[in-house]
Amino acid sequence: MVDGLLQVEGGRPLTGEITVRGAKNLVPKAMVAALLGSSPSVLRNVPLIRDVDVVSGLLSLHGVSIDYDQREGVLQLDPSKVESAHMADIDAHAGSSRIPILFCGPLLHRLGEAFIPDLGGCRIGDRPIDFHLEILRQFGAVVDKQAQGIRLTAPHGLNGTVIELPYPSVGATEQTLLTAVRAQGLTELRNAAVEPEIMDLVDVLQKMGAIISVDTDRTIHVEGVDELCGYTHSALPDRIEAASWASAALATRGDVFVRGAHQSHMTTFLNTFRKVGGAFDVTDAGIRFYHPGGDLKSIVVETNVHPGFMTDWQQPLVVALTQAQGLSIVHETVYENRFGFTGALRKMGATIQVYRECLGGTECRFGQRNFYHSAVISGPTPLTGADIVVPDLRGGFSHLIAALAAEGTSQVEGVNLIDRGYEHFMSKLESLNAAVTRLA
């Protein structure tokens, strides 16, 4: 049986209004943070996405009581009865999610031990967990790799340390924060990620009683405390989803108001969107993204860590760039294997070439490693419907945008992956007058 098959009749502008709620890259981590509290937490603006279901299940396996009002987007989490969970249960529930690695620090503080299975996630680049484990070792954890997974213990407790990241990794920064807040003494994290979602997690932890300072040179200092309480917090809106709908509006020559989109979180994207030829109007309630008519312009884009152009923004934008005049260049510097999605676009008529060389303004860490991490898009090229298979979350939404922009019928297989990060995407498409039918 085909898993998640969608039929799309393309060539129609997306028009109307949709709402984005809390960020996929923050909400699951804030849920994990609730493990650290001695009292219940309340998280608001929670989207109904697969990752929330996965983390809810994992927390429940560890004895956390969860009440989720899906309509209002409010999660109540009570960690007062936290206990160990069986490895097999964790493995079965986690599936391809990489979230379990972030449970380790909080569980070591609460129980003195943690178990994690083999980890999955979107296959877009090198995401080894060994770096996470090394961070935990620096805090004093003992790591025992077993056939069915990994067991961690903290026989002497966890102690503050100095960690210098070779690259400002979001996951490694989250791991350090969730472990350092209750470790004994001071932790200094150098070359930390400072994305808006990281700063929102810092806000969550500070509400719980953590002492965290962030310097302008990407250094984070955490002074460990003996106890943390619960929090009440409203998650920041999902800037990736907002930008995805913006790119969809541009690629289909449409007009979409994204309620909940926040300007300050999207400054770099908005500048790029305008350079391509897109238009937007910012209001207190959200941002209207639209194609103002005329030709789109080719550009050069390099992805980078915040405040640079976010890697998750480039895939949807590439679809719009197939309709721009001239040659556009996209240099991917965050994940080394993120242009696999362009094969389907070429099948639909796009002219895209990928290169091993760094085609942006500067060389990056992938330049000498034989990865296809630069793309040249020649446009405009008409797109025609095709049968395509979703490769990963962001690439999958990009395929969906391409199908919506293309003339004719497309069948998009594997759209269940999109549920991981895009709340109610089918009903949102229908509200934007898209001609889509779920076949399986």
Side-chain angles (χ1 to χ4, degrees):
M1 180 179 175
V2 176
D3 183 30
L5 183 62
L6 194 66
Q7 181 171 293
V8 181
E9 298 292 338
R12 299 173 55 168
L14 295 184
T15 57
E17 176 182 319
I18 55 96
T19 298
V20 296
R21 290 204 283 189
K24 170 188 175 291
N25 286 356
L26 176 276
V27 168
K29 292 61 178 292
M31 293 170 66
V32 174
L35 277 170
L36 292 160
S38 59
S39 55
S41 292
V42 178
L43 184 60
R44 305 185 187 280
N45 203 29
V46 177
L48 183 60
I49 55 175
R50 173 62 179 158
D51 276 15
V52 170
D53 292 339
V54 168
V55 179
S56 295
L58 290 171
L59 289 170
S60 295
L61 288 174
H62 286 93
V64 177
S65 174
I66 296 178
D67 181 19
Y68 182 20
D69 184 333
Q70 296 180 357
R71 182 171 181 176
E72 296 298 324
V74 178
L75 262 176
Q76 299 186 55
L77 308 104
D78 185 351
S80 59
K81 297 180 180 179
V82 170
E83 59 186 22
S84 296
H86 294 294
M87 179 85 76
D89 293 336
I90 299 172
D91 196 7
H93 194 86
S96 63
S97 173
R98 290 176 175 265
I99 287 292
I101 190 67
L102 295 178
F103 276 66
C104 293
L107 288 175
L108 286 169
H109 285 304
R110 290 295 301 266
L111 304 173
E113 64 178 4
F115 300 91
I116 55 172
D118 290 332
L119 300 176
C122 291
R123 305 301 182 185
I124 56 175
D126 195 18
R127 288 179 166 185
I129 66 166
D130 287 345
F131 195 59
H132 285 262
L133 299 177
E134 182 54 36
I135 288 172
L136 291 162
R137 286 191 184 98
Q138 286 188 239
F139 279 102
V142 175
V143 179
D144 180 20
K145 294 186 178 182
Q146 303 173 348
Q148 68 273 36
I150 300 168
R151 180 173 185 262
L152 297 97
T153 55
H156 305 294
L158 298 178
N159 297 287
T161 185
V162 176
I163 296 170
E164 182 156 5
L165 302 181
Y167 183 79
S169 160
V170 169
T173 300
E174 293 164 343
Q175 183 71 257
T176 303
L177 287 171
L178 290 167
T179 306
V181 286
R182 283 194 57 193
Q184 290 292 318
L186 182 67
T187 295
E188 181 178 292
L189 176 62
R190 301 170 183 166
N191 201 25
V194 292
E195 273 68 6
E197 295 82 7
I198 291 288
M199 301 313 297
D200 214 37
L201 180 59
V202 168
D203 289 348
V204 167
L205 294 169
Q206 188 180 56
K207 287 179 177 181
M208 300 177 75
I211 302 173
I212 305 171
S213 63
V214 183
D215 296 342
T216 55
D217 64 351
R218 292 185 176 274
T219 300
I220 297 178
H221 292 94
V222 183
E223 187 176 329
V225 297
D226 292 333
E227 185 177 5
L228 295 172
C229 63
Y231 64 81
T232 297
H233 187 77
S234 184
L236 84 170
D238 197 312
R239 62 196 175 115
I240 303 174
E241 183 181 357
S244 297
W245 291 112
S247 293
L250 195 59
T252 63
R253 304 183 71 87
D255 187 333
V256 176
F257 182 76
V258 182
R259 185 170 295 278
H262 200 289
Q263 179 184 10
S264 66
H265 301 151
M266 301 181 68
T267 302
T268 306
F269 176 84
L270 294 174
N271 288 337
T272 303
F273 190 82
R274 180 168 281 161
K275 288 178 183 178
V276 174
F280 60 88
D281 299 327
V282 178
T283 71
D284 290 343
I287 304 175
R288 173 195 174 202
F289 297 96
Y290 59 100
H291 191 305
D295 295 333
L296 298 182
K297 306 176 186 70
S298 57
I299 58 167
V300 176
V301 179
E302 286 188 278
T303 66
N304 211 332
V305 296
H306 186 76
F309 191 89
M310 192 179 192
T311 178
D312 289 312
W313 289 335
Q314 66 94 342
Q315 290 166 297
L317 185 67
V318 163
V319 182
L321 291 178
T322 67
Q323 305 308 304
Q325 292 282 345
L327 294 178
S328 293
I329 297 173
V330 179
H331 180 208
E332 173 61 54
T333 75
V334 179
Y335 288 124
E336 66 271 33
N337 193 27
R338 203 150 207 185
F339 284 119
F341 77 101
T342 60
L345 301 187
R346 285 190 291 270
K347 183 179 179 182
M348 301 175 81
T351 302
I352 302 174
Q353 293 178 295
V354 293
Y355 296 89
R356 296 183 179 93
E357 292 78 16
C358 297
L359 297 184
T362 57
E363 290 190 8
C364 75
R365 59 199 175 120
F366 305 137
Q368 306 301 320
R369 295 174 61 191
N370 208 32
F371 293 114
Y372 288 97
H373 70 292
S374 293
V376 176
I377 304 104
S378 178
T381 52
L383 301 179
T384 56
D387 294 344
I388 49 182
V389 179
V390 168
D392 58 69
L393 174 60
R394 306 303 173 189
F397 199 85
S398 302
H399 287 173
L400 189 56
I401 295 172
L404 292 163
E407 291 295 332
T409 303
S410 297
Q411 289 199 350
V412 186
E413 181 182 340
V415 295
N416 288 350
L417 262 177
I418 299 174
D419 289 323
R420 280 191 54 219
Y422 293 88
E423 180 185 40
H424 303 312
F425 81 93
M426 273 296 293
S427 61
K428 288 178 182 179
L429 285 171
E430 291 164 357
S431 71
L432 296 176
N433 296 315
V436 291
T437 306
R438 194 83 177 240
L439 301 179

